[in-house]
Amino acid sequence: MTKVSTIPFQNTGFFSKTICDYLEEKDSIKHFYNNFPRRENFKKQIELKQNSFQKESRETLVKSLKSQYKNIKTSSKTQKNIEFLSDENTFTITTGHQLNLFTGPLYFLYKIISTINLTEELKIEFPDCNFVPIYWMASEDHDFEEIQYFNFKGKKIVWNSNETGGVGRFKTIGFEEVFNEFSKLLGSSENAKKLRLLFRKAYVEKENLTEATRYLANELFTEYGLVIVDGDDVDLKRQLLPYVAKDLFENISYNEVNNTIQKLQVDYKIQVNPREINLFYLTDNLRERIVFENDVFKVNNTNIEFNEDELLYELKLHPERFSPNVIMRPLYQEVILPNLCYIGGGGELAYWFELKQYFDKVEVPFPILLLRNSALLISEKRSKKLKKLSITDEELFLKQHELTTKKIKEKSTFEINFSKQRFQIETHFQELEKMAKATDKSFIGAVNAQKKKQLKGLDNLEKRLLKAEKRVHLDLVNRITELQDELFPKQSLQERNTNFSEFYLEYGGELIPKIKSALKPLTGEFIIIRL
């Protein structure tokens, strides 16, 4: 039976000041978002979006989605959700993610499940409305090195490609070799066979990375009605054209985001910086920045250039060639979707905070920002080990040396703590300081130097004693270290390293339902799932 517990994000040590302050709704960050993610605020967001999103935009969205899904076998629930989007009382909850190989790290699942679960909660809260979970594929992204691999049992499974440009258009050439490498590591269980089939159908049998990722996400989540959106779409891009023109000719996003950054950086680290033009020029094998130099618009690292009239004509003729960067992509999403809320990780929300003033300027409603669920999956075997070692949930998140030190001190037959001796030295030298002040003040320096020397010596003795105890209890230290390394690979969160396939091997088709039952999108805490 799955057991669930939580601890505050702030207590994990893995989340930034920006995110912790947001979760606590501190005044220093309130100017950089609109409605905070609470149930009652979704009513305000529904009204805001309902009044601004046009019927024509809904018709375009549904038409594009039907075209994108024409060769995909999907569930009746997903098909209904696409149809629902035509209705003015239907709204979306959206998450976005890169096209990571075989989903990449676990948090790909957490993002989408958080999105699905929130739509279900909102349907209960607002029964007269429909809520559609959206996965926005980052098909136009060109950071191939970030997505070309996944980790499986400590090994990196890598796909190499010589193509350039938007990764979604990359042909799936070379995946047969990747499949063979992965297949050898999987074993011969029934769940291993299912993983092989899933990988082969997605990556070996599909034509490009967009199709492969859409197939994979659809297979994993279609029963929950997930709708997958590919922004690399001419009809969807056409709706963005007025904002693209403002960015090209008026530098609206550059000016507004920079103004926000000046205020935000007083208290917080800046995640991304805008460029004067926040658009790429996109064709097959090409995604390069558009720059304005010497009264001409140029495509960086190419010979392509336009004057203003030529660029306006190119915009009208080929809207699909204008690809938003990290600054403009959120706007693109909110322009084409009847969206209420964006669910993302800490880094994503940090750059969304930079965009509030820009959204206000171009009169597009700013969505509710929700930190995705983060989770730690613990198998039954590892749960038993933790219990045997008496390691609590909170202790799991300690730095490794702090955890081993704490457990050695608990295990030791004597107290490895010289605080009493330290107090005695402090008391003794207080008397000497009084004597020095009453007789010869020049003596105070010598007294303080001696005090410092003795306290430092005591600290060194305590460290040596602890080191000796760690040698005595070396087996305990090794067991703690090995277990924490398994749960926190590279001393980082499991969700940022481990692929779902490691857990699927053990739990098969039960894995996603188990995770889904545990994740609560509005809980505001880190979730520990004992499978």
Side-chain angles (χ1 to χ4, degrees), residues 331-368:
L331 181 77
Y332 179 26
Q333 167 195 301
E334 296 303 312
V335 165
I336 69 168
L337 294 175
N339 197 47
L340 304 177
C341 173
Y342 183 77
I343 297 179
E348 289 177 282
L349 264 55
Y351 72 71
W352 273 87
F353 293 135
E354 299 177 28
L355 306 178
K356 173 66 165 56
Q357 186 175 323
Y358 171 42
F359 272 67
D360 291 345
K361 182 71 175 179
V362 295
E363 299 180 335
V364 174
F366 196 69
I368 290 174

Side-chain angles (χ1 to χ4, degrees), residues 321-439:
R321 293 182 181 176
F322 294 83
S323 175
N325 73 355
V326 66
I327 294 292
M328 281 199 72
R329 191 213 67 80
L331 181 77
Y332 179 26
Q333 167 195 301
E334 296 303 312
V335 165
I336 69 168
L337 294 175
N339 197 47
L340 304 177
C341 173
Y342 183 77
I343 297 179
E348 289 177 282
L349 264 55
Y351 72 71
W352 273 87
F353 293 135
E354 299 177 28
L355 306 178
K356 173 66 165 56
Q357 186 175 323
Y358 171 42
F359 272 67
D360 291 345
K361 182 71 175 179
V362 295
E363 299 180 335
V364 174
F366 196 69
I368 290 174
L369 301 178
L370 178 61
L371 182 66
R372 65 169 174 81
N373 282 136
S374 282
L376 175 65
L377 300 183
I378 305 178
S379 65
E380 188 177 357
K381 183 179 177 182
R382 286 172 180 159
S383 286
K384 288 177 180 176
K385 288 182 180 180
L386 287 169
K387 189 174 181 181
K388 199 169 183 180
L389 292 166
S390 301
I391 297 174
T392 66
D393 290 348
E394 288 76 12
E395 288 172 341
L396 255 180
F397 290 84
L398 291 173
K399 300 294 183 188
Q400 200 159 86
H401 73 278
E402 293 174 355
L403 178 58
T404 53
T405 296
K406 190 174 190 295
K407 291 301 160 185
I408 290 299
K409 286 183 176 181
E410 289 175 6
K411 191 78 174 174
S412 181
T413 54
F414 50 85
E415 191 175 13
I416 310 174
N417 187 334
F418 288 178
S419 57
K420 289 180 184 176
Q421 292 84 350
R422 196 172 283 107
F423 177 74
Q424 289 171 355
I425 290 173
E426 294 274 6
T427 304
H428 178 63
F429 275 92
Q430 281 175 9
E431 293 299 319
L432 288 174
E433 285 170 9
K434 286 179 185 177
M435 289 171 58
K437 287 176 182 176
T439 54

Side-chain angles (χ1 to χ4, degrees), residues 484-501:
Q484 197 188 44
D485 283 345
E486 289 173 355
L487 294 171
F488 294 83
K490 303 175 186 175
Q491 290 298 289
S492 181
L493 288 176
Q494 176 195 74
E495 64 182 34
R496 297 176 187 170
N497 291 278
T498 307
N499 184 262
F500 84 99
S501 55

Side-chain angles (χ1 to χ4, degrees), residues 3 30 42 86 88 93 105 154-155 162 176 193 206 242 282 286 292 329 355 378 420 427 440 490:
K3 293 182 179 178
K30 280 188 175 179
F42 278 92
S86 298
E88 63 177 8
I93 305 297
K155 185 173 176 60
N162 295 322
E176 190 73 52
K193 292 174 184 175
K206 298 304 173 188
L282 175 72
L286 175 70
F292 186 65
R329 191 213 67 80
L355 306 178
I378 305 178
K420 289 180 184 176
T427 304
D440 184 357
K490 303 175 186 175

Side-chain angles (χ1 to χ4, degrees), residues 389 404 407-408 411 473-481:
L389 292 166
T404 53
K407 291 301 160 185
I408 290 299
K411 191 78 174 174
H473 298 288
L474 184 60
D475 178 60
L476 177 62
V477 171
N478 288 340
R479 282 189 291 145
I480 292 170
T481 301

